[in-house]
Amino acid sequence: MQDPRLEKLADVLVSHSCQLTKKDTVLIEAFDVPEAMTIALIKAVQAKGATPMVNVRQSQVTRALMNGMTEKTAKTNGKVAMQQTKLADAYIAVRGANNTAELADVPPEKMKTYAKDWGHPVLLQRVNHTRWVVLRYPSPSMAQDAQMSTEAFENFFFEVCTMDYAKMARACEPLVELMEKTNRVHITGPGTDLKFSIKDIAAIPCFGERNIPDGECFTAPVKTSVEGQITFNAPTIESGVTHENVCLKFKKGKIIEATSSNSEKLNETLNRDAGARYIGEFAIGFNPYITKPMRDILFDEKIAGSFHFTPGQAYEIADNGNRSEVHWDMVCIQRPDFGGGEIYFDNKLIRKDGHFVLPQLEGLNPENLKGT
């Protein structure tokens, strides 16, 4: 029997996130997810009269391909993927995680070849020229990382992924307006004293049209404006490697010192190209149902009371000119149970200990977004 939650989720993705019409072609990519989810998506797309294209992928197969990656392999597959992406008006990716460390032992030079000639160019085409949405799919490994039972995690997943995103969109409007008027940002907290400018860079609200789950508003710092230090208290995974307690120090926008529980791998990534040591995104997270790190960035970057700071590529829609093959979201949670912290815009306190304090922003606090 079909789980009705799959149909509800598929409808959110097709109707709210991508707003498909019969004129649209949509590329669906399903990574390690049950056939029932992929079929639900196909049926939802077809119900709109739109045209589906489907890629079904498996992480162990991807690992084998990556371990043998050559420049010719990357360029050949990159051309095929680019052609598909250019044919698409919309893109939906549902990504399971049978093993979040599946790519941990892929050699760095293979990852770099993949990123340069396949992954990165296709990512930019998709992000900048299609309507797109990306989400995870619940799995036992995700439940384990979240320290939840499989059943409890599935219930949590469908609750957070099908929440009232229209309400979130309305609540986000005052934050967008404030961010686009702001010049200087100052962030403080344990191990963090960070200053930068966001002057004249667009603020983009995210309420289920790009990621599911969602709940953030992002911009980017003026590239050379970042000064000070930041310490992240959420674990972060890059290329299958987990990093704890990442600490970055900045001078004139550049990361001049970087440490973590695996400093060698951290700096290996930050040395991938010149742009990887500059920041391409600053975002404030406020999803009321996500309250703790799950070692999955599509969830962790939306944690209520958090912000993230991203070494690497800037998005064209909030562009500070930084270019890189890297885009690595790192998360800091500022609620009291994680040590607290403050965010100031032009010397005015806007959020303290993860709670918005300005009246016009109170709609983004958990008690209001949940409607309780």
Side-chain angles (χ1 to χ4, degrees), residues 10-28:
D11 183 65
V12 169
L13 299 175
V14 167
S15 300
H16 174 78
S17 302
C18 291
Q19 301 179 25
L20 293 185
T21 71
K22 62 182 180 181
K23 296 180 180 180
D24 291 324
T25 296
V26 57
L27 174 60
I28 299 169

Side-chain angles (χ1 to χ4, degrees), residues 100-120:
T100 57
E102 192 65 59
L103 303 182
D105 59 355
V106 174
E109 63 273 16
K110 303 292 187 181
M111 295 293 295
K112 186 172 183 178
T113 299
Y114 160 77
K116 177 177 178 291
D117 294 319
W118 181 357
H120 188 64

Side-chain angles (χ1 to χ4, degrees), residues 113-166:
T113 299
Y114 160 77
K116 177 177 178 291
D117 294 319
W118 181 357
H120 188 64
V122 174
L123 171 66
L124 290 182
Q125 175 67 26
R126 183 251 293 177
V127 167
N128 295 318
H129 300 287
T130 70
R131 305 191 302 279
W132 58 271
V133 62
V134 176
L135 70 156
R136 298 293 190 241
Y137 190 84
S139 67
S141 68
M142 289 178 69
Q144 186 174 28
D145 284 343
Q147 299 183 326
M148 300 170 70
S149 70
T150 302
E151 181 180 2
F153 182 77
E154 284 185 358
N155 291 335
F156 158 77
F157 173 86
F158 286 105
E159 180 180 48
V160 71
C161 288
T162 58
M163 69 171 289
D164 188 348
Y165 285 110

Side-chain angles (χ1 to χ4, degrees), residues 227-249:
E227 299 283 347
Q229 174 177 300
I230 183 170
T231 301
F232 298 94
N233 53 18
T236 180
I237 299 176
E238 202 278 332
S239 298
V241 177
T242 298
H243 298 260
E244 306 268 1
N245 302 314
V246 175
C247 181
L248 307 178
K249 295 183 180 179

Side-chain angles (χ1 to χ4, degrees), residues 187-190 192 233 305 307 332-342 352-354:
I187 302 176
T188 61
T192 297
N233 53 18
F307 70 91
C332 181
I333 307 168
Q334 294 190 303
R335 299 197 317 270
D337 48 328
F338 285 86
E342 300 81 29
K352 181 175 176 60
D353 295 341

Side-chain angles (χ1 to χ4, degrees), residues 98-320:
N98 294 334
N99 179 0
T100 57
E102 192 65 59
L103 303 182
D105 59 355
V106 174
E109 63 273 16
K110 303 292 187 181
M111 295 293 295
K112 186 172 183 178
T113 299
Y114 160 77
K116 177 177 178 291
D117 294 319
W118 181 357
H120 188 64
V122 174
L123 171 66
L124 290 182
Q125 175 67 26
R126 183 251 293 177
V127 167
N128 295 318
H129 300 287
T130 70
R131 305 191 302 279
W132 58 271
V133 62
V134 176
L135 70 156
R136 298 293 190 241
Y137 190 84
S139 67
S141 68
M142 289 178 69
Q144 186 174 28
D145 284 343
Q147 299 183 326
M148 300 170 70
S149 70
T150 302
E151 181 180 2
F153 182 77
E154 284 185 358
N155 291 335
F156 158 77
F157 173 86
F158 286 105
E159 180 180 48
V160 71
C161 288
T162 58
M163 69 171 289
D164 188 348
Y165 285 110
K167 180 178 182 180
M168 179 183 284
R170 294 189 297 271
C172 203
E173 291 174 2
L175 179 59
V176 173
E177 183 179 354
L178 179 61
M179 290 177 75
E180 292 192 334
K181 292 179 179 177
T182 296
N183 178 5
R184 302 297 304 177
V185 178
H186 185 193
I187 302 176
T188 61
T192 297
D193 190 350
L194 192 69
K195 296 180 179 180
F196 55 93
S197 172
I198 57 173
K199 183 177 174 60
D200 295 330
I201 298 177
I204 308 299
C206 300
F207 39 81
E209 292 187 335
R210 295 291 180 264
N211 289 165
I212 294 285
D214 219 339
E216 66 171 285
C217 188
F218 73 88
T219 183
V222 174
K223 182 176 176 178
T224 59
S225 71
V226 186
E227 299 283 347
Q229 174 177 300
I230 183 170
T231 301
F232 298 94
N233 53 18
T236 180
I237 299 176
E238 202 278 332
S239 298
V241 177
T242 298
H243 298 260
E244 306 268 1
N245 302 314
V246 175
C247 181
L248 307 178
K249 295 183 180 179
F250 294 84
K251 185 175 182 179
K252 295 182 179 179
K254 185 177 182 179
I255 299 169
I256 59 171
E257 184 178 332
T259 58
S260 74
S261 57
N262 194 330
S263 297
E264 181 179 355
K265 284 287 187 180
L266 171 64
N267 283 280
E268 187 177 275
T269 299
L270 296 178
N271 289 334
R272 193 172 294 171
D273 55 41
R277 285 191 175 265
Y278 289 85
I279 297 298
E281 179 186 356
F282 162 60
I284 297 175
F286 41 76
N287 189 302
Y289 294 102
I290 308 175
T291 59
K292 63 180 182 179
M294 294 170 43
R295 298 174 186 267
D296 187 308
I297 194 57
L298 287 184
F299 285 79
D300 292 356
E301 67 180 0
K302 318 303 189 327
I303 290 172
S306 75
F307 70 91
H308 53 277
F309 217 50
T310 306
Q313 177 73 28
Y315 293 117
E316 285 188 12
I317 52 177
D319 195 5
N320 68 351

